[in-house]
Amino acid sequence: MPILEGEGVTKYFGGLAAVSRVDFHVEQGEIVGLIGPNGAGKTTLFNLISGALTPSAGVIRFQGREITGLKPHRICKMGLARTFQSVKVFPNMPVFENVLLGALFGKPDGVSVAHAAEEATALLEFVGLSAVRSTPAKDLTLVNQKRLELARALATRPQLLLLDELMAGLNPTEVGQAMELVARIRDQGITIFMIEHVMKAIMSICDRIIVLHHGVKIAEGTPQEVATSKTVIEVYLGE
Amino acid sequence: MDIARLDLRKMWTPALLLIALALFATLPLYASRYLVILLTSIAMYVVLTGSWAIFSGPTGYISLAPAAFFGLGIYTSAVLGRTSPLPAVILVAGLASFLVALFVGALTLRLKGIYFAMFTFGLVELIKYFLLWYEVEFTGTRGRFVVVVDNTTIYYVMFIILATLLLTAYLIRRSRFGMALQSIGECEEAAAHIGVNVNLLKTVTFAISAIFIGMAGAIMATRWTYVDPYIAFNPLFSFMPVLMAIFGGIGRFGGPILGAVVFAYLEETLITRFPYYYMLLFGIVLIIAVVYLPNGLVGLAQILQKRISERRHAHTGR
């Protein structure tokens, strides 16, 4: 059974089909990439999965249970966390509290504040933000805000993590560090579904890649298969 | 150094609170009648503003509903005052406000920004005119008389409401829910995605804040003896809490409280000394505050504190 699967997932904005009858599946332990030109519907698909938007049609299942149209907080508590393309940290709250909130509210059953604080501290260590734990999140650099979002998502103890352009706007060194971080998260047994434009990153760490174009899935396969697919090359480079 | 400062604060706060409590509890024994009435008025504004700040402060949702809950409290008092003991009237007023706020909140807290503010203001008008229609149609009156309660009792009731409010606000702020409320104000979408049930939390907090406003209305009604829907649902009671909170500084909980105390005292002084110019003076003070104190009185205090400590550092530097 795949950890995440979608059947005929569709979303209309007015008359426009932002996502059109997309079937997809993510297996336990995989890193799956989601690529496509701008406006292909990648972030919309993530929004449908995380509950930020409700699909117009189709079914989404997480660990075998239907989550179509559930509220984001319910989906999060079931074990599905995400980060955002444009970072959405809590700007005026200290870094530590950003992560603490995830640890306090993101799990199916309640935890003590002391326990959540321990977890938050450990996660800040993991993403390398221990030194700035008391800094308001808005004062962090972009790369650190992205790390913070990652730590906050991990604090909810996800089984599956959706990463929306984690590496956009980072310099080559930072991309390398981010890739290493993603690999370490997978090694902890967390499945990863990621949107990415940095091709070097996506080709080297993904087990499988799904390609969207104009809301439709046009290709799927190993990085090798996708990179050599004629349709994909046409979409990216023109005919 | 940080630890030393923290310890000192821990000792100071409860001690100050105890002294303040003792002072306010014994005040009617030796203070003038006027002072008792003045303090009741100030306490009322602190209750209105503090309640407003419990919800609107951290979440940033500007509610203009206080007058609706205040009016509900007033009418509870007018209807039940003759037949029921005072504590029961106060509690029923709080409960009624809580239930109405719960219902309204569940319906409207999906609205964001200005739309929420507009709706809450509409609520005040809606209840006012519904009541007016009901009274004329079914009871054949426009206003009602309220049972009179002596000033000292009103004072004590208001201070009990105030103390309960401050305790509630403190507990909410200290709890994980206080942090979650702030996260809603900072980025609601992100809050929902890390497991915060944003609609439930907003609705319940909105309803809790309405309790104290309703109770304050119930006790104040006994001072006014006669009420009608226009008096009870005066929109001023919606705007005052917002103005006072901005005046004091919305960022921290102390801000709205301080704002309410200073503002209410100012209003009272201006209205007695300059009855003809009072609104004018009031407006000028408000404009100055908005233009020069973007973070309110608390912001001003912080700036001064910073300057003083910088000067000290400069001295030790020499």
Side-chain angles (χ1 to χ4, degrees), chain A residues 50-53 69-77 80, chain B residues 189 192-196:
Chain A
S50 76
L53 295 172
L70 287 186
K71 288 261 160 35
H73 71 95
R74 297 261 320 264
I75 293 174
C76 171
K77 282 189 159 70
L80 197 164
Chain B
E189 195 185 355
H193 275 93
I194 55 165
V196 177

Side-chain angles (χ1 to χ4, degrees), chain A residues 14-55:
Chain A
L16 176 85
V19 173
S20 183
R21 276 170 279 154
V22 172
D23 297 326
F24 61 89
H25 67 98
V26 177
E27 300 295 331
Q28 179 81 47
E30 268 189 313
I31 298 184
V32 176
L34 180 61
I35 65 171
N38 285 327
K42 305 180 295 291
T43 296
T44 305
L45 185 61
F46 266 25
N47 283 340
L48 295 171
I49 298 170
S50 76
L53 295 172
T54 309

